[in-house]
Amino acid sequence: MNRTDLKQAELETFSLFEMTPDLVCIADKEGYFKKINQAVIEKLGYTGAELFARPIVSFIHPEDVDRTSRERTKLLSGNPLLNFQNRYVKKNGDDVWLEWTSIYVPDKEIVFAIAKDITERKKSEKEIEEKYRKYKGLATHFKHTLEKDKKYLAVELHEELAQLASVVKMDVYWLSNNLSPLSGLAKKRMEQSLVVVDLLINTMRRISFSTSPNMLDDIGLDATLEWHCKEFSVLNGIPCHFESKYDETQLTHEIKIDFFRICQEALTNIMYHAEASNVAICIEDLGDRISLCIEDDGKGFDMHKQHPTPGLIRIRERTASINGHLAIQSDTGKGTRVCVTVAKDKYSRPDVY
């Protein structure tokens, strides 16, 4: 086939694309349109002469020029451009989103490209993202309000009720030493009262900590979890070990609170359901993510048959609220592993599986 026949075949091939609503064009290596179908003219609003007279980059939205230039360099190096999205500015000033698939033909030094108008899709995506940000903001606000109320309740329990109980303890102690003579029964009741008051004070302090761990603000997440593991071990007789393999400053205050709450829920589940002999908690740096894992060697459960417990539901909700990824591994007789990962730099949409 001679050059004339090839030229004619190219023209005939390109004419077929006049029937498609997609934008079809051929560009030279210097970045100018050489051929375009009618859809390009109708979509951008320029005449054919105007489109041929200016470099293609002059029609691209200024914010997308650098990104498009980098992709074009890859294209000219032999890498096909697949589903690349950028904005063009129409003659009337409006933006149009286009999704391109392009190939470079090196022996002819031309780029053949087809684009679809995805403007409506991008508008829908933007609306969804705005709604998501709105609801995420509301959820964060409610969560902060709840934590604030919990902190107030914890202070009242620890500073007010526990102190009043301490006063009662001192009064009972004074009575037991200054009222005489006391019968054996009266003395025994006094001693029992002192024991009960001690239990009451310790219970209020434990509830205060569980409601709002003030030490989280004072000494940080690592020290708080280490203390919480020791308390869990003492109260339940189950060894609980905490390991830190990350830089705590990489976590926001919100994530620190949620990591602590997730550990609380997981340890409560273990205490009541797992029948475990050992528990391990680890926070680890995974490069672009931070991972929190709680693992036990208890009886486990069949994930295909087990209905989610309230504790697991709350863990899922907490994970979603910080745009984390939740993975739960368990099997009958093989323990349970709960892992939550969050991105360091920015939060993706919730992905709970």
Side-chain angles (χ1 to χ4, degrees):
M1 184 178 290
N2 59 38
R3 182 178 295 274
T4 302
D5 292 337
L6 284 172
K7 187 74 172 178
Q8 184 63 31
E10 288 177 8
L11 292 173
E12 290 176 354
T13 300
F14 193 83
S15 66
L16 295 175
F17 292 103
E18 291 293 340
M19 296 182 291
T20 178
D22 293 339
L23 286 69
V24 182
C25 63
I26 293 176
D28 62 21
K29 191 175 181 180
E30 286 68 39
Y32 283 82
F33 287 121
K34 304 307 292 182
K35 291 186 177 68
I36 54 176
N37 69 346
Q38 186 62 29
V40 177
I41 296 172
E42 293 176 355
K43 187 62 63 178
L44 298 182
Y46 294 94
T47 65
E50 290 172 324
L51 290 168
F52 291 132
R54 292 162 48 187
I56 297 173
V57 68
S58 67
F59 301 105
I60 298 173
H61 192 286
E63 294 179 2
D64 294 345
V65 169
D66 290 342
R67 185 166 55 87
T68 303
S69 177
R70 290 194 296 270
E71 292 301 319
R72 185 173 184 275
T73 299
K74 296 178 184 178
L75 175 65
L76 297 179
S77 299
N79 297 313
L81 191 65
L82 303 175
N83 303 321
F84 174 72
Q85 299 177 4
N86 64 0
R87 289 167 291 178
Y88 276 62
V89 181
K90 299 166 66 174
K91 189 172 184 178
N92 64 6
D94 293 342
D95 296 340
V96 58
W97 277 97
L98 300 176
E99 185 174 72
W100 294 91
T101 296
S102 310
I103 58 170
Y104 177 59
V105 184
D107 58 334
K108 297 183 179 181
E109 295 189 336
I110 60 171
V111 174
F112 182 79
I114 300 177
K116 293 182 179 293
D117 181 359
I118 59 169
T119 305
E120 292 303 316
R121 187 211 305 175
K122 299 298 287 189
K123 287 181 179 178
S124 297
E125 290 176 357
K126 186 176 181 180
E127 290 176 0
I128 293 172
E129 289 174 359
E130 288 176 352
K131 288 180 179 178
Y132 169 74
R133 284 194 293 269
K134 176 182 176 182
Y135 293 131
K136 177 65 168 61
L138 287 173
T140 301
H141 169 73
F142 290 139
K143 187 164 64 174
H144 287 171
T145 301
L146 182 60
E147 288 294 337
K148 184 178 179 181
D149 292 341
K150 285 182 175 181
K151 191 169 185 178
Y152 173 78
L153 177 59
V155 169
E156 290 296 304
L157 281 171
H158 188 271
E159 302 297 334
E160 299 294 334
L161 294 181
Q163 289 186 17
L164 290 174
S166 297
V167 172
V168 172
K169 176 183 177 180
M170 288 187 292
D171 287 342
V172 173
Y173 184 80
W174 186 90
L175 291 172
S176 66
N177 286 284
N178 290 278
L179 288 180
S180 59
L182 287 176
S183 66
L185 179 60
K187 188 174 182 180
K188 184 176 181 181
R189 295 297 296 269
M190 285 287 190
E191 292 173 353
Q192 288 178 344
S193 297
L194 288 172
V195 172
V196 170
V197 171
D198 278 336
L199 289 174
L200 178 61
I201 293 172
N202 290 334
T203 299
M204 283 190 289
R205 287 174 177 167
R206 188 170 63 253
I207 293 174
S208 173
F209 176 82
S210 298
T211 303
S212 181
N214 291 326
M215 62 191 305
L216 191 62
D217 296 327
D218 298 331
I219 63 176
L221 178 62
D222 285 356
T224 301
L225 285 179
E226 189 169 351
W227 184 91
H228 194 42
C229 282
K230 290 179 180 177
E231 184 190 44
F232 177 87
S233 299
V234 171
L235 293 176
N236 300 284
I238 303 173
C240 181
H241 174 69
F242 171 69
E243 187 174 9
S244 174
K245 298 180 179 179
Y246 77 114
D247 179 1
E248 186 174 329
T249 61
Q250 294 173 335
L251 298 184
T252 64
H253 185 259
E254 177 189 4
I255 295 179
K256 289 179 184 179
I257 291 175
D258 283 298
F259 269 18
F260 176 77
R261 296 295 185 198
I262 288 169
C263 286
Q264 274 188 315
E265 293 291 351
L267 290 177
T268 300
N269 281 348
I270 292 169
M271 180 172 63
Y272 287 114
H273 307 295
E275 299 178 9
S277 300
N278 289 280
V279 181
I281 298 176
C282 179
I283 303 180
E284 185 175 4
D285 189 329
L286 300 179
D288 60 340
R289 297 166 295 147
I290 299 290
S291 170
L292 163 68
C293 289
I294 306 101
E295 187 171 6
D296 69 76
D297 61 356
K299 64 181 182 180
F301 58 89
D302 187 335
M303 296 185 62
H304 300 290
K305 298 179 181 180
Q306 177 74 26
H307 294 292
T309 64
L312 286 179
I313 292 173
R314 285 191 288 269
I315 289 174
R316 290 181 185 275
E317 291 172 349
R318 285 277 178 181
T319 303
S321 73
I322 54 175
N323 299 312
H325 300 254
L326 172 64
I328 301 174
Q329 299 174 338
S330 187
D331 201 356
T332 304
K334 296 183 180 180
T336 301
R337 180 180 174 87
V338 175
C339 287
V340 175
T341 57
V342 293
K344 285 183 185 177
D345 52 350
K346 58 182 179 180
Y347 302 143
S348 58
R349 292 179 183 174
D351 186 5
V352 181
Y353 50 94

